[in-house]
Amino acid sequence: MYTFSSKLKSVAIGLIIIGAIGVAYGFFTSHKDFAAVEMMLASESHGDAHGETATHHDTKVSDSHATEDTHSEAAQAGAKIHGEHGPQAEVDEHTKHVNHVMHAMHNRPWSALYVAAFFFFMISLGVLAFYAVQYASQAGWSPLLLRVMEGITAYMLPGAVIVLSIALASGIIGHYNLFIWMDPDVVAHDKLIQGKSGWLDIFWFGVRGFVFIAGWWLYRHFARKFSIAQDEADDNKNFIKTFRISAAFLVFFLYTESIMSWDWIMSVDPHWFSTLFAWYVLAGMMVCGITVISMVTIYLKSKGYLPKVNDSHIHDLAKFMFGFSIFWTYLWFSQFMLIWYSNIPEEVTYFVTRFQDYQLPFLGMVVMNFVFPLLVLMNSDFKRVNWFVIMAGIIILGGHYIDIFNMIMPATVGDQWSIGIPEISSILLFAGLFIFIVFTALTKQPLEPKRNPFIKESEHFHY
Amino acid sequence: MEASKVIHAIYTDDDVLMNAVKKVKTARHHIEEIYTPFPVHGLDKAMGLAPTRIAITSFLYGCVGLTVAIVMMNFIMISDWPQNIGGKPSFSYIENMPAFVPIMFELTVFFAAHLMVVTFYLRSRMWPFKKAENPDPRTTDDHFLMEIAVHGNENELTDLLKETGAVEINLIDKTH
């Protein structure tokens, strides 16, 4: 049995407290009013920022109308309060700009919280899918790691509920800070969103989210239950049951994961769509999940809790990290290149905003998620070196956080992004919560499944 | 070239062979060669063979392939004749790079794979019309053959090999 070391527990609680304080600070400081934003912009425009904003406006004019950040619609809606389109066009333009920036600043703490919440939730959902694959494929190497995976999936339910709550709260108690299609005022002036309103509806958004979470949780609940029952059983009935529900879950998962990524991520840009987006999200999810499995395994092994786990298990996990990193890159590049190549205005705006305002994170992410794992994890000897896998894992997780950041932020805060107190505190908050829930779940059951039919093979696994 | 004597010990089971290899190694005899009909897992480790470096060569060949692709397309598409083809930006390599990636990828794989295979053929001396170096045709079907050099310790070796479960032990004059 694993005991949650008091040191790790206090680290987790400390992270939650520091994170929560930072998140609260982010919310309290983001509520700048119109005058304050106007002052800030005025003082900025005296510096070199002036040239930048000028080019920014040029591109907006020269590109099609859709280039405009989706939130400019929100700004327009707000601008209506200050003055109708009329003779004083210049004043109107200025009001619109200030309003736009003000909304982006208000959105920042919401988006920071949402990105971090989704990132940690996605890790545990990725692990749940990987866990189901292990059962469905009757893998012989992994049974020693199944309890570690079960521990990590314990975060799936709270994590998913938090993500859905933030999404719904942004539309109900917030000012439509994440999903502008939730704002009836925006929809009223937007033909494109009107056409999609049969799907993008806050009630059905909630219902769909609830169905996904319930389905994933049911699988997790029963798989865990049968896995524990198998320890004490004298036949393999429980294993066979898990095998069956795992196969069924994988079918359910692929559908719900796709819809979840349209709902929870793609719809922050309600004018944009991409057909392989769901797989792209899935690939990132799997990389992060497997990376966290290997990191937790290495941690527990270093503390002496998993004596039977050998280098070959770590090697296999590192191979999966390597393989799925490349798979992620393949999908990222396919999505990017197809849109870049055909250059259709309604699609390409997605990447135009990311290239203009997010150049470093957008390209840096490819280095962290592709070039680095490619070169570091290619050598088969390095994949057996535990600290090497941990180091590679930290870079991969950082890269995939930025990946989610790049999906959400350009649509909500636009060029007002930064990685500062709201973002880092949100990461700390959910990291602490993740560690606390996962390691608490690990203490509940023995770390080695006793009567798994493949446990002997796993113990002698050697590559 | 001097003529030397070798012993051919023949086995009919890979497990027996593995144990025999370990025994012969602990008795500190040099195994010249082992002929098997199929790969025996762990045989190279038991024999103490050095690990292969073919993966390293493959990586280097891949780097060559990537370089060839980049230099080629930079010359053709950017330096030599930078046409406007469908509005693609051919002002610099990096601006038009996404369009080149499929070719960069394929050439990397092509070079890595083919040159590695050629390296393998050269290093293991395999080519068409090569005379097969098989001491006993049965080793391609269901027998395993261990070849040990003899340095006047013929009887001692024969006893050792018999003990290891060899079904047949032949002393052979081998001309190099």
Side-chain angles (χ1 to χ4, degrees):
Chain A
M1 291 291 273
Y2 170 70
T3 45
F4 197 170
S5 76
S6 59
K7 220 163 100 189
L8 191 63
K9 197 179 247 172
S10 33
V11 167
I13 292 170
L15 286 175
I16 295 174
I17 294 168
I18 297 169
I21 293 170
V23 168
Y25 171 83
F27 275 98
F28 283 125
T29 50
S30 73
H31 281 289
K32 292 201 170 70
D33 59 359
F34 188 87
V37 175
E38 202 170 20
M39 284 276 283
M40 191 202 79
L41 287 173
S43 66
E44 247 179 31
S45 64
H46 289 296
D48 11 346
H50 193 69
E52 257 174 55
T53 35
T55 46
H56 190 70
H57 277 286
D58 280 349
T59 45
K60 274 195 173 173
V61 174
S62 61
D63 273 319
S64 91
H65 182 70
T67 318
E68 299 235 2
D69 191 272
T70 42
H71 269 249
S72 55
E73 262 86 17
Q76 263 170 16
K80 294 227 181 297
I81 305 158
H82 292 273
E84 286 294 323
H85 291 283
Q88 72 283 58
E90 205 171 303
V91 178
D92 198 36
E93 189 64 34
H94 171 74
T95 317
K96 247 168 39 176
H97 179 60
V98 174
N99 254 311
H100 174 67
V101 173
M102 184 179 75
H103 278 283
M105 290 169 89
H106 291 179
N107 290 343
R108 191 174 154 202
W110 281 95
S111 312
L113 198 66
Y114 191 68
V115 169
F118 188 86
F119 176 70
F120 283 96
F121 148 72
M122 136 180 135
I123 291 172
S124 57
L125 187 62
V127 173
L128 191 66
F130 191 69
Y131 176 82
V133 170
Q134 300 310 306
Y135 268 105
S137 63
Q138 306 198 4
W141 67 278
S142 55
L144 272 180
L145 308 173
L146 289 178
R147 283 286 150 78
V148 177
M149 296 184 208
E150 283 169 19
I152 298 169
T153 55
Y155 182 75
M156 199 284 299
L157 181 64
V161 170
I162 291 168
V163 172
L164 188 63
S165 319
I166 298 173
L168 290 174
S170 77
I172 295 165
I173 60 164
H175 296 279
Y176 316 109
N177 303 75
L178 294 169
F179 302 95
I180 56 159
W181 56 261
M182 287 180 180
D183 187 346
D185 216 27
V186 170
V187 179
H189 297 94
D190 192 317
K191 278 259 165 18
L192 283 173
I193 302 181
Q194 276 165 25
K196 297 180 184 186
S197 58
W199 183 269
L200 295 178
D201 174 87
I202 191 159
F203 175 72
W204 289 111
F205 177 91
V207 170
R208 285 194 299 269
F210 178 77
V211 170
F212 307 153
I213 296 172
W216 302 331
W217 175 78
L218 274 177
Y219 168 69
R220 199 265 167 193
H221 175 76
F222 283 105
R224 168 83 162 171
K225 194 177 149 196
F226 296 148
S227 162
I228 292 162
Q230 177 71 22
D231 273 5
E232 304 302 331
D234 41 17
D235 54 19
N236 289 335
K237 263 192 205 132
N238 292 295
F239 178 81
I240 294 164
K241 275 194 235 165
T242 320
F243 171 76
R244 288 194 182 131
I245 61 170
S246 298
F249 167 73
L250 284 172
V251 176
F252 176 79
F253 172 76
L254 274 177
Y255 282 101
T256 49
E257 190 273 338
S258 302
I259 302 171
M260 178 274 283
S261 51
W262 307 334
D263 268 2
W264 296 5
I265 299 185
M266 202 159 80
S267 79
V268 293
D269 283 298
H271 287 177
W272 182 79
F273 46 85
S274 162
T275 40
L276 59 68
F277 191 78
W279 303 334
Y280 167 60
V281 174
L282 173 74
M285 192 180 270
M286 296 301 284
V287 183
C288 293
I290 293 161
T291 304
V292 170
I293 297 173
S294 45
M295 288 167 108
V296 174
T297 306
I298 291 172
Y299 171 77
L300 292 173
K301 188 173 148 61
S302 75
K303 297 283 171 199
Y305 287 108
L306 289 169
K308 288 174 184 162
V309 170
N310 58 39
D311 283 356
S312 294
H313 294 105
I314 306 296
H315 186 139
D316 256 35
L317 286 169
K319 271 196 282 191
F320 273 114
M321 284 160 66
F322 176 74
F324 273 106
S325 286
I326 289 170
F327 181 58
W328 175 88
T329 315
Y330 167 66
L331 292 175
W332 172 81
F333 182 73
S334 301
Q335 176 170 285
F336 169 71
M337 199 261 255
L338 286 175
I339 289 173
W340 172 85
Y341 208 106
S342 56
N343 204 18
I344 301 172
E346 69 207 56
E347 287 181 350
V348 84
T349 53
Y350 186 82
F351 287 111
V352 169
T353 48
R354 277 155 185 77
F355 249 95
Q356 272 173 1
D357 301 331
Y358 289 76
Q359 201 154 41
L360 179 68
F362 188 70
L363 298 173
M365 155 186 99
V366 183
V367 175
M368 288 168 87
N369 290 343
F370 172 63
V371 181
F372 185 83
L374 179 81
L375 296 176
V376 167
L377 291 176
M378 194 185 298
N379 189 313
S380 121
D381 294 333
F382 291 171
K383 286 195 277 253
R384 290 167 179 273
V385 181
N386 287 353
W387 66 267
F388 228 94
V389 177
I390 294 277
M391 285 299 144
I394 291 170
I395 302 282
I396 289 174
L397 289 181
H400 282 281
Y401 170 78
I402 295 174
D403 183 23
I404 306 296
F405 187 85
N406 280 329
M407 292 178 191
I408 303 288
M409 290 295 184
T412 54
V413 302
D415 58 357
Q416 297 298 309
W417 71 276
S418 159
I419 296 190
I421 290 173
E423 286 80 13
I424 293 169
S425 318
S426 307
I427 298 174
L428 297 182
L429 170 65
F430 289 108
L433 203 62
F434 184 84
I435 293 171
F436 189 81
I437 291 173
V438 167
F439 284 87
T440 306
L442 286 170
T443 61
K444 296 279 156 67
Q445 290 295 328
L447 285 181
E448 275 171 21
K450 260 180 266 161
R451 276 199 74 265
N452 186 296
F454 294 104
I455 194 78
K456 272 277 172 289
E457 185 180 338
S458 182
E459 280 167 20
H460 297 122
F461 175 67
H462 169 75
Y463 167 74
Chain B
M1 283 287 179
E2 62 173 329
S4 65
K5 285 186 172 174
V6 291
I7 281 186
H8 282 175
I10 293 182
Y11 299 85
T12 51
D13 187 282
D14 49 342
D15 282 338
V16 179
L17 175 77
M18 283 293 282
N19 287 326
V21 171
K22 281 170 195 155
K23 267 186 198 159
V24 172
K25 287 299 279 187
T26 39
R28 306 191 66 77
H29 293 292
H30 176 67
I31 300 171
E32 293 268 301
E33 191 64 270
I34 294 181
Y35 297 87
T36 65
F38 52 79
V40 178
H41 190 74
L43 188 60
D44 52 338
K45 285 228 172 64
M47 285 170 74
L49 298 182
T52 173
R53 288 167 295 181
I54 200 147
I56 300 169
T57 67
S58 180
F59 177 76
L60 297 175
Y61 296 145
C63 296
V64 173
L66 184 61
T67 313
V68 167
I70 293 172
V71 170
M72 178 182 78
M73 285 182 297
N74 185 50
F75 175 71
I76 297 172
M77 304 299 291
I78 309 295
S79 339
D80 190 33
W81 198 304
Q83 280 189 102
N84 181 341
I85 303 169
K88 284 279 160 285
S90 47
F91 309 109
S92 73
Y93 190 79
I94 198 74
E95 275 175 282
N96 209 0
M97 196 196 62
F100 302 145
V101 165
I103 299 159
M104 285 154 68
F105 171 78
E106 292 295 346
L107 277 184
T108 307
V109 174
F110 179 87
F111 273 63
H114 288 81
L115 291 181
M116 179 177 75
V117 169
V118 171
T119 308
F120 169 72
Y121 285 152
L122 292 176
R123 287 291 289 147
S124 26
R125 295 166 206 286
M126 282 161 61
W127 54 84
F129 311 114
K130 180 195 158 86
K131 197 174 171 300
E133 294 169 0
N134 194 352
D136 190 321
R138 288 175 300 170
T139 60
T140 64
D141 183 13
D142 58 351
H143 283 62
F144 303 82
L145 188 150
M146 191 196 303
E147 185 178 289
I148 302 170
V150 180
H151 303 287
N153 51 356
E154 195 186 314
N155 292 333
E156 183 206 335
L157 256 177
T158 314
D159 290 345
L160 176 73
L161 290 172
K162 260 191 196 136
E163 229 178 88
T164 61
V167 293
E168 212 178 297
I169 296 170
N170 307 318
L171 187 66
I172 304 228
D173 276 330
K174 195 177 182 182
T175 42
H176 283 287

